[in-house]
């Protein structure tokens, strides 16, 4: 479900390299993948889903596109494809947890509650940004697939996915900013570890789970080692050849200047549990996470080769404006 954007494309590429027969189902807005059987349609259309099911059966469905749809539409697709597939690998999010982003998360942490047939109006976003309506909706999506597939569903709950082909714009913004050089406002502390994962590693794990002959489970997908902010920024500067100098800026200063967490400085958020996600179950089940320095370098190589993601409105949300950054630097004594 999906298959042409970022994670979906990486999953298709990985499966094709293994010699699998792959079908992709999407609306056709972002092209097709050579080597895959491409079926165009709308996952909210019962007729299109019936037509899709007629192309089965398959060993598994991997759903990378449910984030755009309310639970009732996820349920519609799961019910339609249940007779045509034995297993469903569902890409969810850590936002489904009640405790995110405040506390350390394991797969046993309590989930937000949302009915499997909820529409797009269900849920709310808290005053401090958590929980999120998005999290409620994704929890409902999990409930929908569980209702249809039972023990045949695998839930992958990533935090942040980076790498070549990214359409959100988090890592590309930092790389572009590093290349521009000069004094760079960077969130302190420098030794704070962050846990993004490489899209190719998530894809490989998703394909592994599609083939696994065990009951479905939930997995937190986060880098077990991560990378410190200091190493992240240093690597961005090295791979881009930027002559920048990080100015480590505390959260109080950033907040005083109205810097939006998560977007204006991508990957920065002050809640204690954002980068405290426990992935040991996934690691024990075969999740391999390459060094994030490799992810950064490969993403820059993709950008330098004129890599262009599909157009997505979230791209424009990321990055602090140069004039705003200049005001912060001036306040910090850097004219």
């Amino acid at each position: 479900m999906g298959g042409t954007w970022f994670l979906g494309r990486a999953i298709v590429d990985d499966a094709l390299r293994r010699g699998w027969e792959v079908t992709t189902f999407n609306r056709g807005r972002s092209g097709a993948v050579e080597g895959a059987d491409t079926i165009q349609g709308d996952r909210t259309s019962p007729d299109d889903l019936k037509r899709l099911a007629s192309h089965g059966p398959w060993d598994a469905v991997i759903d990378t596109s449910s984030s755009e749809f309310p639970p009732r539409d996820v349920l519609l697709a799961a019910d339609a494809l249940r007779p045509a597939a034995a297993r469903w690998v569902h890409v969810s999010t850590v936002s489904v947890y009640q405790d995110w982003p405040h506390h350390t998360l394991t797969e046993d942490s309590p989930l937000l509650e949302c009915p499997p047939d909820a529409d797009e109006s269900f849920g709310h976003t808290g005053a401090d940004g958590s929980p999120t309506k998005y999290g409620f909706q994704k929890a409902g999506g999990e409930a929908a697939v569980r209702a249809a597939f039972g023990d045949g569903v695998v839930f992958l709950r990533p935090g942040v996915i980076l790498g070549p082909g990214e359409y959100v714009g988090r890592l590309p913004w930092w790389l572009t900013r590093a290349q521009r050089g000069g004094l760079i406002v960077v969130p302190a502390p420098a030794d704070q570890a962050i846990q993004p994962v490489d899209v190719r590693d998530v894809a490989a794990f998703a394909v592994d789970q599609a083939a696994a002959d065990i009951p479905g489970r939930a997995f937190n997908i986060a880098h077990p080692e991560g990378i410190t902010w200091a190493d992240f920024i240093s690597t961005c500067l090295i791979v881009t050849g930027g002559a920048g100098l990080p100015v480590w800026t505390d959260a109080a200063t950033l907040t005083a200047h109205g810097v939006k967490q998560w977007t204006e400085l991508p990957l920065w958020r002050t809640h204690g549990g954002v980068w405290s996600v426990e992935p040991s179950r996934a690691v024990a089940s075969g999740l391999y996470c390459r060094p994030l320095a490799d992810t950064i370098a490969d993403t820059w190589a993709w950008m330098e080769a004129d890599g262009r993601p599909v157009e997505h409105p979230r791209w424009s949300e990321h990055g602090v404006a140069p004039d705003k950054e200049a005001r912060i630097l001036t306040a910090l004594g850097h004219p």
Side-chain angles (χ1 to χ4, degrees), residues 80-94:
L81 296 181
R82 182 64 186 92
R87 196 168 180 84
W88 184 292
V89 178
H90 192 74
V91 180
S92 185
T93 170
V94 291

Side-chain angles (χ1 to χ4, degrees), residues 38-132:
T38 301
I39 301 173
Q40 291 185 4
D42 184 343
R43 63 179 293 163
T44 67
S45 165
D47 289 341
D48 286 358
L49 290 169
K50 182 178 179 180
R51 177 168 52 84
L52 172 62
S54 71
H55 287 258
W58 301 279
D59 296 298
V61 174
I62 303 179
D63 188 1
T64 65
S65 65
S66 67
S67 62
E68 299 181 49
F69 300 93
R72 66 180 180 185
D73 288 338
V74 179
L75 182 61
L76 179 70
D79 281 341
L81 296 181
R82 182 64 186 92
R87 196 168 180 84
W88 184 292
V89 178
H90 192 74
V91 180
S92 185
T93 170
V94 291
S95 296
V96 299
Y97 290 111
Q98 294 179 20
D99 290 337
W100 194 87
H102 299 284
H103 304 291
T104 298
L105 297 177
T106 72
E107 291 87 356
D108 297 322
S109 298
L111 303 179
L112 297 171
E113 295 184 4
C114 177
D117 58 351
D119 64 18
E120 59 276 3
S121 68
F122 190 92
H124 65 276
T125 297
D128 69 343
S130 66
T132 62

Side-chain angles (χ1 to χ4, degrees), residues 22 28 34 82 89-90 128 193 216 236-237 245 253 256-258 276 289 297 313:
V22 180
E34 184 177 353
R82 182 64 186 92
V89 178
H90 192 74
D128 69 343
C236 287
L237 289 166
L245 179 66
T253 300
H257 283 85
S276 185
C289 290

Side-chain angles (χ1 to χ4, degrees), residues 293-305:
D294 293 349
T295 304
I296 296 168
D298 291 348
T299 302
W300 180 246
W302 166 72
M303 293 171 64
E304 284 283 89

Side-chain angles (χ1 to χ4, degrees), residues 60-284:
V61 174
I62 303 179
D63 188 1
T64 65
S65 65
S66 67
S67 62
E68 299 181 49
F69 300 93
R72 66 180 180 185
D73 288 338
V74 179
L75 182 61
L76 179 70
D79 281 341
L81 296 181
R82 182 64 186 92
R87 196 168 180 84
W88 184 292
V89 178
H90 192 74
V91 180
S92 185
T93 170
V94 291
S95 296
V96 299
Y97 290 111
Q98 294 179 20
D99 290 337
W100 194 87
H102 299 284
H103 304 291
T104 298
L105 297 177
T106 72
E107 291 87 356
D108 297 322
S109 298
L111 303 179
L112 297 171
E113 295 184 4
C114 177
D117 58 351
D119 64 18
E120 59 276 3
S121 68
F122 190 92
H124 65 276
T125 297
D128 69 343
S130 66
T132 62
K133 186 174 181 180
Y134 172 75
F136 280 103
Q137 291 279 308
K138 291 289 276 187
E142 287 196 9
V145 182
R146 190 181 296 111
F149 277 77
D151 289 340
V153 60
V154 178
F155 296 112
L156 307 185
R157 297 172 180 154
V160 173
I161 303 175
L162 303 177
E166 183 194 337
Y167 63 83
V168 175
R170 295 183 177 110
L171 179 52
W173 184 83
W174 278 114
L175 287 164
T176 301
R177 179 63 191 89
Q179 183 191 41
R180 194 167 82 238
L183 297 178
I184 305 172
V185 170
V186 182
D191 61 355
Q192 169 68 55
I194 58 178
Q195 295 178 281
V197 286
D198 190 289
V199 63
R200 295 161 293 185
D201 299 332
V202 181
F205 187 71
V207 176
D208 287 344
Q209 290 304 310
D213 187 22
I214 57 174
R217 292 186 292 175
F219 296 99
N220 289 339
I221 308 297
H223 203 294
E225 298 175 2
I227 189 172
T228 65
W229 268 110
D231 288 341
F232 177 85
I233 297 300
S234 174
T235 304
C236 287
L237 289 166
I238 290 170
V239 302
T240 63
L245 179 66
V247 177
W248 297 100
T249 309
D250 61 71
T253 300
L254 295 174
T255 301
H257 283 85
V259 176
K260 296 178 182 177
Q261 298 188 36
W262 213 234
T263 52
E264 284 194 295
L265 285 183
L267 308 179
W268 169 63
R269 197 162 181 173
T270 57
H271 299 82
V274 171
W275 302 118
S276 185
V277 179
E278 177 53 64
S280 57
R281 180 185 293 175
V283 172

